[in-house]
Amino acid sequence: MTPEQVDLVLEGIERMRPRLPLVADAFYAELFGRYPQLRPMFPADLARQRAKFADELRALVVALPDLPAFLDSAARLGRRHAGYGVRVAHYNQVRTALIATIAAEMASVWTEEHEHAWTVAYDMITEAMLLNLR
Ligand code: HEM
């Protein structure tokens, strides 16, 4: 991930900050619209989940410039996710829904560079979450 890509996602997460609860809402709507089979993995009431997801996504993005802290948080989150039954294929589905949601949220400024930077950031998070599962 280049320093410019890190800057783009950091700027993006700050820009979205006041609307992150709404973005998380839109993300789950997008995810379950595309992949309804994932819905039963989550609690019936998504209110707390939305807030936790938004907070964690922001914390991971903000930690990107501090690689050891980033890897540590992501790996711990990944270990918990293995316990929730989350598998590699699920990460691709979440990426599709998350990038589509962020693209819609940032539509007025969104470019190919944003798309690429967010995709790389998401993939870094995923790879770190999948590290050391054994
Ligand atoms: C950027 C990647 C992701 C982030 C930041 C994230 C964040 C979170 C957070 C903060 C929680 C609350 C519990 C905890 O902290 O352990 C959670 C729970 C959960 N996540 Fe994720 N997640 C991500 C990817 C995924 C993926 C790919 C799936 C697959 C469908 C998934 C499914 C779940 C499930 C099933 C729960 C538990 C719900 C429950 O039973 O309470 N997450 N996630």
Side-chain angles (χ1 to χ4, degrees), residues 41-42 49 52-53 56 80-81 84 86 90-91 94:
M41 293 176 77
F42 291 85
Q49 178 68 29
K52 286 186 196 167
F53 178 82
E56 186 71 42
R80 296 199 296 277
H81 277 69
Y84 305 143
V86 176
H90 295 134
Y91 284 95
V94 164

Side-chain angles (χ1 to χ4, degrees), residues 27-44 46 90 93-94 96-97:
F27 160 68
Y28 284 109
E30 184 79 34
L31 184 68
F32 300 143
R34 285 177 189 254
Y35 310 108
Q37 67 278 14
L38 297 184
R39 183 64 185 89
M41 293 176 77
F42 291 85
L46 278 177
H90 295 134
Q93 296 171 325
V94 164
T96 301

Side-chain angles (χ1 to χ4, degrees), residues 55-109:
D55 287 350
E56 186 71 42
L57 181 67
R58 180 169 180 281
L60 286 169
V61 167
V62 169
L64 272 170
D66 180 358
L67 198 56
F70 168 80
L71 288 174
D72 186 58
S73 312
R76 279 189 284 116
L77 183 68
R79 233 166 280 132
R80 296 199 296 277
H81 277 69
Y84 305 143
V86 176
R87 298 294 171 255
V88 174
H90 295 134
Y91 284 95
N92 294 332
Q93 296 171 325
V94 164
R95 178 179 55 201
T96 301
L98 185 63
I99 301 293
T101 305
I102 295 174
E105 173 65 23
M106 306 221 312
S108 60
V109 294

Side-chain angles (χ1 to χ4, degrees), residues 1 5-16 20 23 57-58 60-62 64 95 98-100 102-103 106 110-125:
M1 204 174 174
Q5 287 173 328
V6 172
D7 286 347
L8 272 184
V9 294
L10 284 172
E11 280 163 31
I13 205 82
E14 278 315 301
R15 184 187 177 91
M16 288 189 287
L20 270 182
V23 174
L57 181 67
R58 180 169 180 281
L60 286 169
V61 167
V62 169
L64 272 170
R95 178 179 55 201
L98 185 63
I99 301 293
I102 295 174
M106 306 221 312
W110 193 250
T111 61
E112 246 177 61
E113 283 72 32
H114 284 92
E115 172 115 12
H116 195 200
W118 276 98
T119 301
V120 177
Y122 179 83
D123 287 346
M124 296 254 316
I125 293 172

